[in-house]
Amino acid sequence: MKTNEKTLQRVYKMPFGSIYPLYVEKVEKKGRTTAELDDVLCWLTGHDEESLHAAVESEETLSEFFDAAPNMNPNVDLITGVICGVRVEDIEEPLMQKIRYMDKVVDELAKGKKLEKIKRA
């Protein structure tokens, strides 16, 4: 699925630090913890807790956050399903796909899925 360039650029320029608190709110509202969120985000991106929180505190955009990601998990291809009405495996633009992978695993965490399943272990 293709997304128009204007939308892509708007999303890519969003600060990671403005999105992270929304993720925290979403998972905590469903009884999950910030530690579990951090665990899932670190698993996905290869960031450690220190670099993850440095990204939250900085003005780093989503594009910069993923550019700085040490190593996307090799199991990201196993992340499938629909997020925001779009199948993540059908997204053609690599950065948008990474962002939607992140949305998907956060959504799975909020829905109560076990960490082992989220991490495709």
Side-chain angles (χ1 to χ4, degrees):
M1 172 177 186
K2 288 201 180 255
T3 306
N4 75 49
E5 190 62 30
K6 188 176 179 181
T7 301
L8 290 175
Q9 292 310 312
R10 183 178 50 80
V11 171
Y12 296 165
K13 291 178 182 176
M14 295 175 97
F16 178 70
S18 69
I19 293 166
Y20 180 81
L22 300 174
Y23 285 158
V24 170
E25 182 181 336
K26 181 176 188 170
V27 300
E28 286 182 344
K29 200 174 357 178
K30 298 292 186 169
R32 301 306 287 260
T33 66
T34 303
E36 289 172 311
L37 173 64
D38 291 353
D39 185 29
V40 167
L41 294 178
C42 289
W43 167 84
L44 178 70
T45 63
H47 280 285
D48 59 24
E49 196 170 323
E50 185 179 323
S51 64
L52 177 70
H53 287 280
V56 171
E57 297 300 321
S58 75
E59 295 291 318
E60 205 168 273
T61 65
L62 281 172
S63 179
E64 293 165 335
F65 174 73
F66 281 103
D67 284 347
N71 189 25
M72 288 297 287
N73 192 287
N75 288 338
V76 296
D77 292 341
L78 300 176
I79 300 171
T80 59
V82 177
I83 193 76
C84 298
V86 178
R87 295 203 69 76
V88 293
E89 60 270 27
D90 294 341
I91 298 171
E92 294 175 11
E93 209 306 304
L95 180 55
M96 181 56 78
Q97 189 173 47
K98 290 175 185 176
I99 293 167
R100 293 305 186 188
Y101 283 150
M102 183 169 66
D103 289 341
K104 183 68 178 168
V105 296
V106 170
D107 194 48
E108 290 174 348
L109 182 65
K111 288 183 176 177
K113 199 169 190 181
K114 292 182 179 186
L115 287 175
E116 299 80 36
K117 296 273 188 187
I118 295 169
K119 293 179 178 182
R120 278 56 181 178

